[in-house]
Amino acid sequence: MLMVFVFTPSIKLLSSGTTNGVPKECRTWSIADFMRLRYYYATTLDLSIEESLNSMYIMMDPGKAIDDKGFEWSNSMISSRTAYLSRYKYYIHTPTTDLVEAINTHKPSSIISYATVVPQLTRLLENGSLSWKPTVLVLVAEYISKEEWLRIQKSWYPTRVEQLYGATECPLIGKRNKKTGLYETSNDTKISQCTEGIEVFGFPDYKWIKLTDKIRLFENNSFEIIDTRSSDKYRFIKIGLKLQEQGVLECFQVQRISENEYNVAFVGDKSNSNQIVEAF
């Protein structure tokens, strides 16, 4: 008799700031859920098999953080859902010189990255340090201004650049239009106005979830983000980019750890620490 055992590890994921402000456990994902999500990403972004499998994912630090309520959470619980099946994995605190070397060496067909990292890589692409361009570049998580969004598209051409807006409970709420800068929802995602703000309905649970970000809805289910903690976080991204261009720091990451607190981590010369802290 042939016995077949199927091992399906699961992982508890955290709600994102997009829906709940402060991360907390919201659902358990199995390996089947991860597979579905990777397929969903691939079809939504129209990725080929090569682009989907020969991918590099630049994810959050796998360390832990403690919010203002004393809840300890692991960033890896958030990141693993998207990084699953990615061929190369790096972290957003990895020095940009190391990321550049990795990209130039591995030559990934697609790069999926937290948006904090992409403006930093864009500057290095423009000065010639980064020589490889993937077929597809996907920005996730952080908000990027329309001006920065247009600059990234121009600098990475002919790479197809995409930006996704989502949450743990609904990973693909919208994809950014390259010309208008507005987000357009996927075919099976719905957004609705409610008395307390905006709700979204979609993959994987298909139930209505309230968003904490303030969104302006337009016709054809398109929207723009008008007031969000993500856009507030972008202030710190701009500061970090300026310091990086001045050679004060090597790389940085911005992370929200509670309703009104942000954690900024950087790699650079210790002698510049006071200047960096004062700038942020």
Side-chain angles (χ1 to χ4, degrees), residues 114-134:
Y114 272 71
T116 303
V117 179
V118 178
Q120 301 178 58
L121 292 177
T122 299
R123 273 63 174 179
L124 295 170
L125 181 67
E126 292 170 347
N127 69 22
S129 300
L130 179 59
S131 59
W132 173 257
K133 293 181 179 180

PDB file of all heavy atoms in Angstrom, residues 114-134:
ATOM      1  N   TYR A 114       9.633  46.458  -1.464  1.00  0.00           N
ATOM      2  CA  TYR A 114       9.037  47.548  -0.707  1.00  0.00           C
ATOM      3  C   TYR A 114       9.463  48.850  -1.360  1.00  0.00           C
ATOM      4  O   TYR A 114      10.625  49.011  -1.746  1.00  0.00           O
ATOM      5  CB  TYR A 114       9.487  47.485   0.752  1.00  0.00           C
ATOM      6  CG  TYR A 114       8.600  46.613   1.602  1.00  0.00           C
ATOM      7  CD1 TYR A 114       8.612  45.233   1.447  1.00  0.00           C
ATOM      8  CD2 TYR A 114       7.716  47.166   2.519  1.00  0.00           C
ATOM      9  CE1 TYR A 114       7.780  44.420   2.196  1.00  0.00           C
ATOM     10  CE2 TYR A 114       6.878  46.355   3.275  1.00  0.00           C
ATOM     11  CZ  TYR A 114       6.907  44.990   3.104  1.00  0.00           C
ATOM     12  OH  TYR A 114       6.069  44.199   3.839  1.00  0.00           O
ATOM     13  N   ALA A 115       8.528  49.773  -1.472  1.00  0.00           N
ATOM     14  CA  ALA A 115       8.771  50.982  -2.249  1.00  0.00           C
ATOM     15  C   ALA A 115       9.884  51.848  -1.682  1.00  0.00           C
ATOM     16  O   ALA A 115      10.498  52.624  -2.418  1.00  0.00           O
ATOM     17  CB  ALA A 115       7.481  51.799  -2.365  1.00  0.00           C
ATOM     18  N   THR A 116      10.184  51.726  -0.380  1.00  0.00           N
ATOM     19  CA  THR A 116      11.280  52.486   0.218  1.00  0.00           C
ATOM     20  C   THR A 116      12.579  52.270  -0.541  1.00  0.00           C
ATOM     21  O   THR A 116      13.373  53.189  -0.714  1.00  0.00           O
ATOM     22  CB  THR A 116      11.499  52.050   1.684  1.00  0.00           C
ATOM     23  OG1 THR A 116      10.294  52.228   2.412  1.00  0.00           O
ATOM     24  CG2 THR A 116      12.592  52.873   2.347  1.00  0.00           C
ATOM     25  N   VAL A 117      12.799  51.051  -0.988  1.00  0.00           N
ATOM     26  CA  VAL A 117      14.081  50.684  -1.593  1.00  0.00           C
ATOM     27  C   VAL A 117      14.217  51.205  -3.021  1.00  0.00           C
ATOM     28  O   VAL A 117      15.303  51.587  -3.451  1.00  0.00           O
ATOM     29  CB  VAL A 117      14.238  49.145  -1.587  1.00  0.00           C
ATOM     30  CG1 VAL A 117      15.553  48.724  -2.229  1.00  0.00           C
ATOM     31  CG2 VAL A 117      14.153  48.610  -0.173  1.00  0.00           C
ATOM     32  N   VAL A 118      13.133  51.245  -3.767  1.00  0.00           N
ATOM     33  CA  VAL A 118      13.207  51.525  -5.205  1.00  0.00           C
ATOM     34  C   VAL A 118      13.758  52.919  -5.522  1.00  0.00           C
ATOM     35  O   VAL A 118      14.601  53.054  -6.423  1.00  0.00           O
ATOM     36  CB  VAL A 118      11.843  51.297  -5.877  1.00  0.00           C
ATOM     37  CG1 VAL A 118      11.915  51.639  -7.364  1.00  0.00           C
ATOM     38  CG2 VAL A 118      11.418  49.835  -5.695  1.00  0.00           C
ATOM     39  N   PRO A 119      13.332  53.990  -4.826  1.00  0.00           N
ATOM     40  CA  PRO A 119      13.959  55.286  -5.117  1.00  0.00           C
ATOM     41  C   PRO A 119      15.462  55.279  -4.888  1.00  0.00           C
ATOM     42  O   PRO A 119      16.221  55.944  -5.602  1.00  0.00           O
ATOM     43  CB  PRO A 119      13.245  56.246  -4.147  1.00  0.00           C
ATOM     44  CG  PRO A 119      11.930  55.614  -3.896  1.00  0.00           C
ATOM     45  CD  PRO A 119      12.212  54.141  -3.871  1.00  0.00           C
ATOM     46  N   GLN A 120      15.912  54.508  -3.880  1.00  0.00           N
ATOM     47  CA  GLN A 120      17.347  54.411  -3.619  1.00  0.00           C
ATOM     48  C   GLN A 120      18.051  53.713  -4.785  1.00  0.00           C
ATOM     49  O   GLN A 120      19.106  54.153  -5.254  1.00  0.00           O
ATOM     50  CB  GLN A 120      17.585  53.643  -2.320  1.00  0.00           C
ATOM     51  CG  GLN A 120      16.924  54.279  -1.096  1.00  0.00           C
ATOM     52  CD  GLN A 120      17.130  53.462   0.166  1.00  0.00           C
ATOM     53  OE1 GLN A 120      18.263  53.197   0.556  1.00  0.00           O
ATOM     54  NE2 GLN A 120      16.039  53.075   0.819  1.00  0.00           N
ATOM     55  N   LEU A 121      17.454  52.613  -5.252  1.00  0.00           N
ATOM     56  CA  LEU A 121      18.041  51.893  -6.392  1.00  0.00           C
ATOM     57  C   LEU A 121      17.974  52.735  -7.669  1.00  0.00           C
ATOM     58  O   LEU A 121      18.865  52.647  -8.521  1.00  0.00           O
ATOM     59  CB  LEU A 121      17.295  50.575  -6.607  1.00  0.00           C
ATOM     60  CG  LEU A 121      17.467  49.504  -5.529  1.00  0.00           C
ATOM     61  CD1 LEU A 121      16.611  48.287  -5.854  1.00  0.00           C
ATOM     62  CD2 LEU A 121      18.934  49.096  -5.394  1.00  0.00           C
ATOM     63  N   THR A 122      16.944  53.556  -7.783  1.00  0.00           N
ATOM     64  CA  THR A 122      16.783  54.395  -8.973  1.00  0.00           C
ATOM     65  C   THR A 122      17.943  55.373  -9.108  1.00  0.00           C
ATOM     66  O   THR A 122      18.471  55.587 -10.207  1.00  0.00           O
ATOM     67  CB  THR A 122      15.454  55.167  -8.919  1.00  0.00           C
ATOM     68  OG1 THR A 122      14.374  54.227  -8.870  1.00  0.00           O
ATOM     69  CG2 THR A 122      15.285  56.053 -10.144  1.00  0.00           C
ATOM     70  N   ARG A 123      18.362  55.971  -7.988  1.00  0.00           N
ATOM     71  CA  ARG A 123      19.511  56.892  -8.023  1.00  0.00           C
ATOM     72  C   ARG A 123      20.773  56.163  -8.477  1.00  0.00           C
ATOM     73  O   ARG A 123      21.585  56.711  -9.235  1.00  0.00           O
ATOM     74  CB  ARG A 123      19.747  57.505  -6.643  1.00  0.00           C
ATOM     75  CG  ARG A 123      18.966  58.772  -6.327  1.00  0.00           C
ATOM     76  CD  ARG A 123      17.503  58.574  -6.321  1.00  0.00           C
ATOM     77  NE  ARG A 123      16.771  59.770  -5.886  1.00  0.00           N
ATOM     78  CZ  ARG A 123      15.453  59.815  -5.833  1.00  0.00           C
ATOM     79  NH1 ARG A 123      14.739  58.754  -6.182  1.00  0.00           N
ATOM     80  NH2 ARG A 123      14.827  60.916  -5.462  1.00  0.00           N
ATOM     81  N   LEU A 124      20.936  54.924  -8.028  1.00  0.00           N
ATOM     82  CA  LEU A 124      22.119  54.147  -8.407  1.00  0.00           C
ATOM     83  C   LEU A 124      22.045  53.678  -9.856  1.00  0.00           C
ATOM     84  O   LEU A 124      23.063  53.492 -10.511  1.00  0.00           O
ATOM     85  CB  LEU A 124      22.267  52.948  -7.466  1.00  0.00           C
ATOM     86  CG  LEU A 124      22.557  53.324  -6.008  1.00  0.00           C
ATOM     87  CD1 LEU A 124      22.443  52.118  -5.102  1.00  0.00           C
ATOM     88  CD2 LEU A 124      23.938  53.947  -5.877  1.00  0.00           C
ATOM     89  N   LEU A 125      20.824  53.498 -10.347  1.00  0.00           N
ATOM     90  CA  LEU A 125      20.641  53.162 -11.755  1.00  0.00           C
ATOM     91  C   LEU A 125      21.010  54.368 -12.622  1.00  0.00           C
ATOM     92  O   LEU A 125      21.666  54.234 -13.660  1.00  0.00           O
ATOM     93  CB  LEU A 125      19.181  52.759 -12.007  1.00  0.00           C
ATOM     94  CG  LEU A 125      18.809  52.339 -13.423  1.00  0.00           C
ATOM     95  CD1 LEU A 125      19.491  51.029 -13.800  1.00  0.00           C
ATOM     96  CD2 LEU A 125      17.293  52.195 -13.546  1.00  0.00           C
ATOM     97  N   GLU A 126      20.608  55.540 -12.165  1.00  0.00           N
ATOM     98  CA  GLU A 126      20.870  56.765 -12.921  1.00  0.00           C
ATOM     99  C   GLU A 126      22.352  57.122 -12.961  1.00  0.00           C
ATOM    100  O   GLU A 126      22.831  57.692 -13.946  1.00  0.00           O
ATOM    101  CB  GLU A 126      20.061  57.919 -12.316  1.00  0.00           C
ATOM    102  CG  GLU A 126      18.554  57.774 -12.515  1.00  0.00           C
ATOM    103  CD  GLU A 126      17.747  58.774 -11.707  1.00  0.00           C
ATOM    104  OE1 GLU A 126      18.319  59.427 -10.802  1.00  0.00           O
ATOM    105  OE2 GLU A 126      16.535  58.903 -11.966  1.00  0.00           O
ATOM    106  N   ASN A 127      23.103  56.772 -11.884  1.00  0.00           N
ATOM    107  CA  ASN A 127      24.538  57.111 -11.903  1.00  0.00           C
ATOM    108  C   ASN A 127      25.406  55.987 -12.472  1.00  0.00           C
ATOM    109  O   ASN A 127      26.630  56.098 -12.495  1.00  0.00           O
ATOM    110  CB  ASN A 127      25.025  57.514 -10.503  1.00  0.00           C
ATOM    111  CG  ASN A 127      25.065  56.353  -9.508  1.00  0.00           C
ATOM    112  OD1 ASN A 127      25.129  55.183  -9.882  1.00  0.00           O
ATOM    113  ND2 ASN A 127      25.040  56.678  -8.222  1.00  0.00           N
ATOM    114  N   GLY A 128      24.765  54.892 -12.912  1.00  0.00           N
ATOM    115  CA  GLY A 128      25.494  53.823 -13.590  1.00  0.00           C
ATOM    116  C   GLY A 128      25.968  52.695 -12.703  1.00  0.00           C
ATOM    117  O   GLY A 128      26.528  51.711 -13.206  1.00  0.00           O
ATOM    118  N   SER A 129      25.764  52.795 -11.387  1.00  0.00           N
ATOM    119  CA  SER A 129      26.212  51.725 -10.483  1.00  0.00           C
ATOM    120  C   SER A 129      25.413  50.447 -10.703  1.00  0.00           C
ATOM    121  O   SER A 129      25.952  49.339 -10.661  1.00  0.00           O
ATOM    122  CB  SER A 129      26.076  52.173  -9.024  1.00  0.00           C
ATOM    123  OG  SER A 129      26.853  53.313  -8.773  1.00  0.00           O
ATOM    124  N   LEU A 130      24.121  50.603 -10.925  1.00  0.00           N
ATOM    125  CA  LEU A 130      23.239  49.462 -11.200  1.00  0.00           C
ATOM    126  C   LEU A 130      23.104  49.323 -12.708  1.00  0.00           C
ATOM    127  O   LEU A 130      22.678  50.264 -13.389  1.00  0.00           O
ATOM    128  CB  LEU A 130      21.867  49.699 -10.559  1.00  0.00           C
ATOM    129  CG  LEU A 130      20.809  48.611 -10.757  1.00  0.00           C
ATOM    130  CD1 LEU A 130      21.287  47.278 -10.195  1.00  0.00           C
ATOM    131  CD2 LEU A 130      19.503  49.020 -10.090  1.00  0.00           C
ATOM    132  N   SER A 131      23.465  48.165 -13.221  1.00  0.00           N
ATOM    133  CA  SER A 131      23.487  47.997 -14.678  1.00  0.00           C
ATOM    134  C   SER A 131      22.386  47.086 -15.209  1.00  0.00           C
ATOM    135  O   SER A 131      22.120  47.069 -16.410  1.00  0.00           O
ATOM    136  CB  SER A 131      24.846  47.436 -15.113  1.00  0.00           C
ATOM    137  OG  SER A 131      25.094  46.182 -14.494  1.00  0.00           O
ATOM    138  N   TRP A 132      21.752  46.299 -14.335  1.00  0.00           N
ATOM    139  CA  TRP A 132      20.743  45.341 -14.791  1.00  0.00           C
ATOM    140  C   TRP A 132      19.330  45.869 -14.559  1.00  0.00           C
ATOM    141  O   TRP A 132      19.004  46.380 -13.489  1.00  0.00           O
ATOM    142  CB  TRP A 132      20.906  44.008 -14.077  1.00  0.00           C
ATOM    143  CG  TRP A 132      19.799  43.025 -14.385  1.00  0.00           C
ATOM    144  CD1 TRP A 132      18.741  42.697 -13.597  1.00  0.00           C
ATOM    145  CD2 TRP A 132      19.634  42.276 -15.590  1.00  0.00           C
ATOM    146  NE1 TRP A 132      17.929  41.776 -14.216  1.00  0.00           N
ATOM    147  CE2 TRP A 132      18.458  41.500 -15.459  1.00  0.00           C
ATOM    148  CE3 TRP A 132      20.364  42.182 -16.776  1.00  0.00           C
ATOM    149  CZ2 TRP A 132      18.004  40.645 -16.459  1.00  0.00           C
ATOM    150  CZ3 TRP A 132      19.908  41.328 -17.765  1.00  0.00           C
ATOM    151  CH2 TRP A 132      18.744  40.569 -17.599  1.00  0.00           C
ATOM    152  N   LYS A 133      18.499  45.734 -15.588  1.00  0.00           N
ATOM    153  CA  LYS A 133      17.087  46.088 -15.462  1.00  0.00           C
ATOM    154  C   LYS A 133      16.244  44.835 -15.670  1.00  0.00           C
ATOM    155  O   LYS A 133      16.390  44.163 -16.697  1.00  0.00           O
ATOM    156  CB  LYS A 133      16.690  47.138 -16.499  1.00  0.00           C
ATOM    157  CG  LYS A 133      17.328  48.508 -16.312  1.00  0.00           C
ATOM    158  CD  LYS A 133      16.837  49.482 -17.376  1.00  0.00           C
ATOM    159  CE  LYS A 133      17.441  50.859 -17.203  1.00  0.00           C
ATOM    160  NZ  LYS A 133      16.960  51.813 -18.234  1.00  0.00           N
ATOM    161  N   PRO A 134      15.379  44.506 -14.734  1.00  0.00           N
ATOM    162  CA  PRO A 134      14.514  43.333 -14.913  1.00  0.00           C
ATOM    163  C   PRO A 134      13.422  43.633 -15.927  1.00  0.00           C
ATOM    164  O   PRO A 134      13.236  44.785 -16.342  1.00  0.00           O
ATOM    165  CB  PRO A 134      13.924  43.136 -13.509  1.00  0.00           C
ATOM    166  CG  PRO A 134      13.845  44.533 -12.962  1.00  0.00           C
ATOM    167  CD  PRO A 134      15.083  45.225 -13.478  1.00  0.00           C
TER     168      PRO A 134
END
